[in-house]
């Protein structure tokens, strides 16, 4: 709040006095105040407005004393206290839309802020006329202040919208990066789970052969070797149980990381991007082209993505130096062709 108050008060130094014979001013401080408020909707706007108004009055009173070479602070406060009313009224109006700033369309937000600006200026002029005795109310004055409010409000809200859009783009890029990382991890886990299942099948066959060997040794009265063969079979069985636990954990991870759906074009774009980087790591100049004629969406995209990645990676590895990989997706024929 202190930063907003101080920055606004400093900005008020850059100003114009539109009405001759009146210390009423239109300064840069209002634009600074609005810009900072738009990005500070977690603050209490009324308190910020009161603090800013008080700080602005003190700054303007000090400036008035320097220009008039007067040490009469009472007179200085009388001439500038109305400026504080502007920020109080303005912050009261902004507090009504504080939680909706991010939801309002830019045009509506600009018009709303312009209305608050005009109302605050009229309140300042009213207080100034009651205290100092100036008479600045007229149709021309209202039109002039309305025009200034519109230009100032739309300029500041335009800056705010530009910054907000930039932040949204950065957030979207970060989310996209995290999504790609999640897909990479999910695809890798699915591939490891596939190979682990294959290893478990091999382990099961080895265990069965070991037990069969044990039976044959027992039948031929080779009891010592038979017990060794039985021990080997038991150890292999323990390895299989450990592998089953690991597989269950991998499957759980894959299921938790791949909630949702993914379209075929998205899968192909992901595979193209990942394998383009892979080709660069292999120091190969390979162009990966895609021809997508399917918009199929599936929740079982991890197996397809793993298969597609392996196909494209194999194609990249089989090319010497430079070449082209073509990926096609056509729903009327084959899901994938590479």
């Amino acid at each position: 709040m202190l930063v907003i108050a101080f920055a606004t008060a400093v900005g008020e130094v850059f100003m114009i006095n539109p009405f001759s014979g009146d210390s009423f001013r239109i300064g840069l401080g209002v634009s600074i105040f609005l810009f900072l408020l738009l990005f500070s909707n977690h603050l209490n706007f009324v308190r910020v407005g009161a603090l800013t108004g008080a700080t602005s009055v003190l700054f303007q009173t000090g400036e008035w004393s320097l220009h008039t070479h007067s040490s009469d602070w009472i007179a200085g406060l009388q001439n500038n206290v109305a400026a504080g009313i502007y920020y109080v009224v303005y912050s009261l109006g902004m507090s009504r839309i504080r939680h909706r700033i991010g939801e309002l369309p830019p045009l509506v937000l600009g018009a709303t802020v312009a209305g608050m600006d005009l109302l605050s200026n009229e309140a300042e002029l009213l207080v100034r006329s009651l205290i100092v005795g100036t008479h600045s109310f007229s149709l021309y004055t209202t039109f002039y202040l309305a025009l200034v409010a519109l230009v100032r409000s739309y300029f500041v809200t335009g800056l705010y919208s530009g910054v907000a859009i930039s932040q949204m783009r950065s957030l979207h890029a970060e989310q996209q990066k995290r999504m790609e990382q999640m897909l990479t991890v999910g695809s890798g886990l699915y591939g490891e789970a596939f190979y682990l299942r294959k290893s478990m099948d091999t382990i099961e066959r080895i265990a069965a052969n070991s037990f069969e060997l044990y039976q044959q040794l027992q039948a031929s009265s080779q009891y010592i070797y038979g017990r060794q063969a039985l021990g080997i079979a038991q150890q292999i069985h323990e390895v299989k149980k450990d592998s089953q636990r690991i597989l269950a954990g991998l499957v759980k991870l894959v299921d938790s990381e791949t909630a949702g759906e993914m379209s075929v074009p998205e899968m192909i774009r992901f595979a193209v991007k990942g394998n383009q980087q892979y080709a660069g790591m292999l120091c190969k100049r390979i162009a990966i082209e895609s021809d997508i004629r399917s918009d199929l969406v599936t929740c079982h995209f991890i197996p397809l993505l793993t298969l597609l990645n392996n196909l494209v990676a194999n194609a990249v590895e089989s090319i010497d130096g430079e070449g082209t990989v073509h990926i096609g997706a056509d729903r009327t024929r084959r899901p994938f062709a590479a």
Side-chain angles (χ1 to χ4, degrees):
M1 289 194 292
L2 289 174
V3 173
I4 296 176
F6 182 77
T8 303
V10 172
E12 286 294 341
V13 175
F14 305 94
M15 52 78 183
I16 59 173
N17 296 104
F19 309 125
S20 59
D22 195 338
S23 58
F24 178 83
R25 62 173 66 186
I26 296 177
L28 185 62
V30 176
S31 300
I32 296 174
F33 181 68
L34 173 59
F35 186 76
L36 295 178
L37 273 189
L38 291 174
F39 286 101
S40 306
N41 56 1
H42 59 284
L43 298 177
N44 187 314
F45 281 5
V46 178
R47 293 180 181 176
V48 174
L51 180 60
T52 304
T55 306
S56 180
V57 169
L58 292 176
F59 264 74
Q60 293 185 31
T61 300
E63 185 185 2
W64 178 87
S65 299
L66 291 175
H67 279 84
T68 60
H69 304 286
S70 173
S71 59
D72 188 356
W73 283 83
I74 301 299
L77 288 173
Q78 287 178 343
N79 275 278
N80 295 286
V81 71
I85 299 299
Y86 173 91
Y87 292 104
V88 173
V89 175
Y90 196 85
S91 61
L92 282 171
M94 289 295 295
S95 67
R96 305 296 296 178
I97 63 169
R98 179 165 66 97
H99 297 294
R100 299 182 57 202
I101 288 176
E103 302 174 1
L104 293 174
L107 289 177
V108 176
L109 179 61
T112 304
V113 171
M116 295 176 188
D117 192 347
L118 177 61
L119 181 62
S120 302
N121 275 321
E122 294 290 353
E124 180 182 349
L125 288 175
L126 176 61
V127 174
R128 190 176 297 278
S129 66
L130 294 175
I131 296 177
V132 184
T134 57
H135 300 282
S136 300
F137 287 101
S138 67
L139 183 61
Y140 168 78
T141 301
T142 302
F143 177 78
Y144 181 84
L145 293 177
L147 181 62
V148 170
L150 283 171
V151 173
R152 180 163 57 191
S153 299
Y154 276 110
F155 175 75
V156 175
T157 54
L159 286 178
Y160 165 75
S161 299
V163 174
I165 290 173
S166 178
Q167 291 177 339
M168 290 176 61
R169 287 176 177 172
S170 299
L171 180 62
H172 177 73
E174 183 64 26
Q175 290 176 340
Q176 186 71 20
K177 183 179 179 180
R178 291 181 180 179
M179 174 64 77
E180 291 177 357
Q181 292 175 344
M182 182 196 74
L183 290 174
T184 301
V185 172
S187 177
L189 289 176
Y190 185 85
E192 296 303 322
F194 173 81
Y195 288 117
L196 185 57
R197 286 192 182 95
K198 182 180 177 183
S199 298
M200 287 176 59
D201 291 339
T202 303
I203 291 171
E204 188 173 355
R205 287 196 299 271
I206 294 174
N209 291 337
S210 298
F211 188 74
E212 184 179 348
L213 176 61
Y214 160 73
Q215 290 178 328
Q216 292 174 355
L217 292 171
Q218 289 292 102
S220 60
S221 301
Q222 299 184 33
Y223 302 110
I224 296 176
Y225 294 114
R227 284 195 295 271
Q228 291 179 349
L230 181 60
I232 292 173
Q234 291 173 340
Q235 291 175 6
I236 293 174
H237 182 68
E238 291 298 322
V239 171
K240 178 185 176 182
K241 290 196 296 183
D242 292 339
S243 299
Q244 285 177 331
R245 285 192 288 269
I246 295 172
L247 178 61
L250 285 176
V251 171
K252 186 176 180 180
L253 280 174
V254 171
D255 291 340
S256 65
E257 291 288 337
T258 57
E261 296 180 336
M262 193 174 187
S263 66
V264 169
E266 289 174 330
M267 284 186 276
I268 292 179
R269 281 193 292 268
F270 177 78
V272 169
K273 183 177 180 180
N275 285 281
Q276 197 76 63
Q277 295 173 348
Y278 180 52
M281 291 175 57
L282 298 177
C283 299
K284 296 182 178 181
R285 298 176 58 185
I286 298 176
I288 303 178
E289 301 176 353
S290 59
D291 181 18
I292 305 172
R293 300 180 183 179
S294 173
D295 57 354
L296 178 67
V297 177
T298 177
C299 59
H300 304 291
F301 56 88
I302 287 296
L304 294 175
L305 188 57
T306 303
L307 174 63
L308 182 59
N309 266 328
N310 286 336
L311 285 174
V312 180
N314 290 338
V316 169
E317 292 170 356
S318 65
I319 295 175
D320 294 327
E322 60 181 68
T324 304
V325 177
H326 297 278
I327 306 174
D330 191 341
R331 192 172 184 176
T332 59
R333 295 181 296 175
R334 292 171 296 174
F336 294 109

